[in-house]
Amino acid sequence: MSPAAEAEAPWARRPKRADGRRNYDAILDAARVAFAERGTGASLEDIAKSAGVAIGTLYGHFPTRETLVEATIREQLDQLDQAAAAQADGDGDPLGSLTTWMRLAVEHCSTYRGLASFLAGSTYTAGAPLHHTSVTVHKAAAPLLARAKQADRIREDVTAEELYAVITAAAWARENSPASTDHSVRLMAFMVAGMSPSAEVPARA
Amino acid sequence: MSPAAEAEAPWARRPKRADGRRNYDAILDAARVAFAERGTGASLEDIAKSAGVAIGTLYGHFPTRETLVEATIREQLDQLDQAAAAQADGDGDPLGSLTTWMRLAVEHCSTYRGLASFLAGSTYTAGAPLHHTSVTVHKAAAPLLARAKQADRIREDVTAEELYAVITAAAWARENSPASTDHSVRLMAFMVAGMSPSAEVPARA
DNA sequence: ACCTGAACACCGTTCAAGT
DNA sequence: ACCTGAACACCGTTCAAGT
């Protein structure tokens, strides 16, 4: 919650010098491959080796694993943000817009094994590198959620936090589903149906 | 799927010699404390140290981390199995019986951070130490699920695998919720409501 | 401003030697 | 039948020295 944390995130910037940018990008590329293959717990030394840089170079650009994870998915999250804005501006079916966007969010939040845990963990930790990501997803969802509520397709008492919990839980299910059958789509369908005003759900305590 | 895997699990047995049993139990106690504090990824060396045994002794009883995790929760799972049998025999509300039991299952499956991932991962791996656990939960749920379907409170097309996915996803949400607010109860409520025959859920592809 | 790699700490895992 | 702890491999992380 310190103002310094909000002010400037040094790890968020690409280096200015040409060789620095080249290494920075090479590390990101290698990280994406490694995370895709072995999850977000992949060996940082292997990533540095694949990128052709010394381990110290990796730490220079990304002081913690979470900063590296954040950087590998930043563009996808921007895209998710834009998709939400596009859906909210359109005049399509409010529930359809929400569910379509949620499915996209689930895909993005399950890009790598372990990502959903990182995202869930950073939500309530203001200083975390992924906290900004988490907040962005919350904000992106808000207008879509509001529109679905106004159209009486989603219960009034569903909060943005709960929607985020639904998305990350489904993303986790996707990460942990066998390749043959992805359970997350069915879980999402159940949860969205359960969030309907017509569903029999006890009020929150 | 090899018959040898089904036949006998050496790590599943408590040792016969007195000193062996003492160490075995001490390791289990230490593991439960460590897993509760730091999750299922806790240091095995620390656990051995807390138990007052050499690291080789721990490996002698529990050749892999998963075997140790399995042993720490075996009694809880037996209890869950018995609870299901009790609910199925009773003549209470079928949906109430199912949801009560599911909530208990969620609690048991989220005893330690990381347990839900272990459980989800072992479902489709026949040789895994936790596979038997996973199968037990599936089997325990079956009669409760059948009763709820017969009473027309749960959609006919909901499978035992999906019910298990619902439980583990909620368990994961519980593991990853802040201490102040446990999102899993709400997610469970949404999913159970979404599994109702009256809910608007598209049929499976 | 950025890169390098040695150095240290810690942990997982195995295994020869013991009782 | 079980225990011990040294030994090896691997990885995370830091930092003095370089360009």
Side-chain angles (χ1 to χ4, degrees), chain A residues 16-17 23 56-57 61:
Chain A
K16 283 163 194 167
R17 241 170 60 177
N23 286 338
T57 304
H61 291 300

Side-chain angles (χ1 to χ4, degrees), chain A residues 94-95 98-99 102 144-145 147-158 163 191-197:
Chain A
L95 188 63
L98 178 66
T99 55
M102 283 176 79
L144 288 169
L145 179 60
R147 224 160 64 96
K149 283 183 184 176
Q150 258 173 342
D152 209 36
R153 306 293 251 116
I154 294 286
R155 299 168 59 96
E156 276 293 343
D157 66 354
V158 174
L163 201 75
M191 287 191 278
V192 170
M195 290 190 293
S196 163

Side-chain angles (χ1 to χ4, degrees), chain A:
Chain A
M1 207 60 89
S2 81
E6 302 286 343
E8 190 68 36
W11 44 264
R13 283 197 316 247
R14 277 175 84 224
K16 283 163 194 167
R17 241 170 60 177
D19 59 341
R21 272 204 307 274
R22 203 154 10 108
N23 286 338
Y24 182 95
D25 292 339
I27 292 165
L28 273 187
D29 283 345
R32 276 189 260 258
V33 172
F35 288 166
E37 281 175 356
R38 298 188 247 280
T40 54
S43 160
L44 298 179
E45 275 189 346
D46 277 356
I47 291 171
K49 212 166 290 177
S50 300
V53 301
I55 182 65
T57 304
L58 187 150
Y59 273 89
H61 291 300
F62 307 101
T64 67
R65 182 180 293 276
E66 194 178 343
T67 57
L68 180 55
V69 170
E70 192 276 336
T72 59
I73 58 156
R74 197 179 309 162
E75 286 156 33
Q76 292 184 57
L77 264 294
D78 285 349
Q79 187 188 327
L80 188 62
D81 198 17
Q82 287 161 21
Q87 293 272 21
D89 289 348
D91 54 354
D93 169 42
L95 188 63
S97 300
L98 178 66
T99 55
T100 299
W101 180 81
M102 283 176 79
R103 258 193 281 271
L104 188 67
V106 169
E107 276 172 41
H108 283 13
C109 292
S110 61
T111 306
Y112 311 120
R113 235 175 330 116
L115 178 57
S117 277
F118 266 110
L119 287 169
S122 60
T123 308
Y124 300 93
T125 312
L130 278 166
H131 184 250
H132 183 253
T133 308
S134 167
V135 170
T136 302
V137 177
H138 273 79
K139 281 187 184 161
L144 288 169
L145 179 60
R147 224 160 64 96
K149 283 183 184 176
Q150 258 173 342
D152 209 36
R153 306 293 251 116
I154 294 286
R155 299 168 59 96
E156 276 293 343
D157 66 354
V158 174
T159 68
E161 279 75 32
E162 286 168 350
L163 201 75
Y164 188 73
V166 165
I167 290 168
T168 52
W172 175 85
R174 203 172 118 97
E175 285 175 8
N176 288 271
S177 287
S180 53
T181 47
D182 174 10
H183 287 297
S184 76
V185 297
R186 204 83 204 291
L187 295 196
M188 269 283 297
F190 290 152
M191 287 191 278
V192 170
M195 290 190 293
S196 163
S198 63
E200 287 159 29
V201 170
R204 264 201 322 276

Side-chain angles (χ1 to χ4, degrees), chain B residues 5-21:
Chain B
E6 301 285 343
E8 190 65 37
W11 45 264
R13 283 198 314 249
R14 277 176 84 225
K16 284 164 193 168
R17 243 170 59 175
D19 58 342
R21 270 204 308 274

Side-chain angles (χ1 to χ4, degrees), chain B residues 12-81:
Chain B
R13 283 198 314 249
R14 277 176 84 225
K16 284 164 193 168
R17 243 170 59 175
D19 58 342
R21 270 204 308 274
R22 202 154 11 105
N23 286 337
Y24 182 94
D25 292 338
I27 292 165
L28 272 187
D29 284 344
R32 275 188 261 258
V33 172
F35 289 165
E37 281 175 356
R38 296 187 250 280
T40 54
S43 160
L44 298 178
E45 274 189 347
D46 277 356
I47 291 172
K49 211 167 292 178
S50 300
V53 302
I55 183 63
T57 305
L58 188 150
Y59 275 89
H61 291 300
F62 307 101
T64 66
R65 183 180 293 275
E66 195 178 341
T67 58
L68 180 55
V69 170
E70 192 277 335
T72 59
I73 59 157
R74 197 179 308 162
E75 287 156 31
Q76 292 185 56
L77 263 295
D78 286 349
Q79 187 187 326
L80 187 62
D81 198 16

